[in-house]
Amino acid sequence: MKITLSVIKADIGSLAGHHTVHPNQIEVAKERLNEAKKTDLIKDFYVSAVGDDLQLIMTHTKGVNSSEIHTLAWETFKEVTEKVSKKLKLYAAGQDLLSTAFSGNLKGMGPGVAEAEIEERVSEPIVIFMADKTEPGAWNLPLYRIFADPFNTAGLIIDEKLHTGFTYRVMDVMEDRVVDLHTPDESYDLLALIGTTGRYVIQSVYRRSDNLLAAVASTARLSLIAGRYVGKDDPVMFVRAQHGLPAVGEVLEPFAFPHLVAGWMRGSHNGPLMPVSLKNAKCTRFDGPPRVAALGFQLNEGMLVGPADLFDDPAFDRARSLANEVADYMRRHGPFMPARLGPEEMEYTTLASVLKKMEGRFKPS
Ligand code: F6R
Ligand code: MG
Ligand code: MG
């Protein structure tokens, strides 16, 4: 059975600054999607939140880039903005709804989209990752490790179905173009690109032996769309697991290392990505540190069975503790690079206007 999974997210305002989504926002989104389920527009849904971002997880049979589904998501975000964010004067109400003229496709409109049409397997475990206070390039390191690093994924060595490797589709977000690279043979080429996380972003991953889609990520860059700083793009992605794909444990394993990602305070700092349960998916210290939650589902004829809150586990305590140590260390740098991002990234933040004011005071040395 062919099913489309659409994970669509937006920051449309939050409680206590950029801290957390308000429960009423989740309620209104649920009501709207429940109506859509009753009319069979969607098969099933789950509404989640990480930090100040609201995620609509939907299954349907309309395929990717369906204007009906994108319109449903857009209208849901609008309704939540009007009925809750604005009414309660939540902070930055409607922030990510950048366009005033929505045309039926969310590309370039602000919300982040990870979606794919898949043939549901006999059993279909899927892990949905949602991050706050970071950007799509944050998935590069874990996606590399899941599908290309045998020190992470034992199956690459010992399972015939994984052994032939994976194809990565990498997007150049500056030029809006993509390139396909095959691992293991082109691993070094792949790493040459995706190490530059602010520009080259993994969009999707396919199993080489049969081109089966294994992972999809959101790649929206708000600042590039709006031409100004609008907050980071707090990405989502989903990964299919097991039976000839990495096991759920192999999919989660890279997050046992809280790698440095761009984002955190004012979208301008490098900080450790802390894996957390949904109950701790709220940013506090220095508006962070950046956080990631993981929800596990089983698809059942398009219905979402679950979720399992996968980082709600003491096995990730050490990663959280290390993330706190790294946060201490990074914070002691104050406004200095590399704790603060470099000039290319800062161009899209409010620093640009501060620097502009000083421009006239420079004279030849
Ligand atoms: C980061 C983020 C926050 C804000 C910060 C300042 O993605 O959203 O760290 O950048 O709280 O916000 P404003 O300028 O709205 O006061
Ligand atoms: Mg916000
Ligand atoms: Mg956010």
Side-chain angles (χ1 to χ4, degrees):
M1 166 182 210
K2 268 201 185 330
I3 281 292
T4 310
L5 175 61
S6 299
V7 182
I8 303 183
K9 56 79 45 180
D11 174 348
I12 44 174
S14 44
L15 171 69
H18 293 279
H19 171 64
T20 187
V21 164
H22 190 284
N24 294 4
Q25 292 176 298
I26 295 179
E27 278 320 302
V28 170
K30 275 187 189 166
E31 279 163 24
R32 185 72 186 79
L33 295 190
N34 209 21
E35 279 167 34
K37 186 174 167 177
K38 278 191 208 147
T39 64
D40 288 334
L41 175 56
I42 53 174
K43 280 189 90 75
D44 204 4
F45 70 90
Y46 188 82
V47 178
S48 187
V50 168
D52 56 9
D53 293 285
L54 186 69
Q55 292 90 21
L56 313 178
I57 298 166
M58 299 175 285
T59 54
H60 54 93
T61 53
K62 309 278 178 192
V64 298
N65 288 321
S66 150
S67 72
E68 284 173 277
I69 299 299
H70 283 210
T71 303
L72 171 66
W74 181 264
E75 284 177 355
T76 304
F77 290 137
K78 277 274 181 208
E79 199 171 318
V80 174
T81 301
E82 294 305 324
K83 285 192 175 162
V84 188
S85 315
K86 287 189 177 167
K87 231 182 189 158
L88 298 182
K89 284 185 72 178
L90 295 181
Y91 194 66
Q95 174 189 280
D96 286 359
L97 306 179
L98 297 181
S99 175
T100 43
F102 178 69
S103 58
N105 191 309
L106 288 169
K107 189 173 169 17
M109 297 284 141
V113 181
E115 64 178 354
E117 185 173 55
I118 58 173
E119 186 68 48
E120 188 179 299
R121 295 174 294 163
V122 173
S123 184
E124 187 67 70
I126 292 192
V127 182
I128 299 177
F129 292 93
M130 305 164 292
D132 188 32
K133 303 297 184 273
T134 184
E135 59 179 23
W139 302 138
N140 284 5
L141 185 150
L143 280 174
Y144 181 82
R145 297 206 61 207
I146 294 166
F147 294 105
D149 179 2
F151 282 74
N152 179 90
T153 298
L156 291 169
I157 305 295
I158 64 181
D159 183 335
E160 211 174 36
K161 289 207 193 102
L162 282 82
H163 201 82
T164 40
F166 289 85
T167 297
Y168 286 76
R169 178 157 295 174
V170 178
M171 184 172 187
D172 173 352
V173 294
M174 300 293 179
E175 299 286 338
D176 207 359
R177 54 185 188 162
V178 295
V179 59
D180 289 345
L181 291 165
H182 312 291
T183 59
D185 32 315
E186 295 182 308
S187 299
Y188 297 168
D189 294 315
L190 175 65
L191 288 168
L193 292 179
I194 64 172
T196 306
T197 47
R199 173 158 188 176
Y200 299 103
V201 173
I202 298 168
Q203 192 179 61
S204 45
V205 183
Y206 302 84
R207 186 166 64 188
R208 259 176 110 170
S209 57
D210 55 1
N211 229 18
L212 182 102
L213 176 114
V216 188
S218 62
T219 51
R221 292 292 312 266
L222 287 172
S223 53
L224 298 179
I225 297 167
R228 64 185 158 86
Y229 179 68
V230 216
K232 281 287 177 201
D233 305 294
D234 306 335
V236 287
M237 71 163 171
F238 60 82
V239 179
R240 299 168 82 186
Q242 306 286 159
H243 199 71
L245 288 172
V248 168
E250 290 167 331
V251 171
L252 300 177
E253 179 64 10
F255 296 93
F257 169 63
H259 66 295
L260 288 174
V261 296
W264 208 352
M265 175 56 76
R266 297 175 188 276
S268 306
H269 295 81
N270 286 309
L273 186 63
M274 184 189 265
V276 290
S277 63
L278 280 184
K279 99 175 141 21
N280 290 317
K282 297 169 210 164
C283 291
T284 52
R285 183 180 180 191
F286 202 53
D287 282 2
R291 293 178 199 222
V292 57
L295 295 182
F297 290 95
Q298 290 287 145
L299 280 190
N300 178 16
E301 308 296 323
M303 303 303 281
L304 290 159
V305 179
D309 188 354
L310 294 164
F311 291 138
D312 185 11
D313 182 339
F316 288 93
D317 281 353
R318 297 273 288 266
R320 294 187 268 264
S321 167
L322 179 56
N324 277 327
E325 251 178 75
V326 172
D328 278 341
Y329 175 84
M330 296 302 282
R331 282 304 303 123
R332 289 181 69 179
H333 293 79
F336 285 85
M337 283 175 60
R340 200 215 68 195
L341 302 184
E344 279 168 26
E345 295 289 321
M346 294 305 288
E347 215 180 290
Y348 294 99
T349 71
T350 44
L351 180 71
S353 50
V354 173
L355 295 178
K356 211 168 163 193
K357 265 201 262 167
M358 276 183 285
E359 198 47 47
R361 294 178 58 187
F362 277 91
K363 42 193 176 197
S365 60

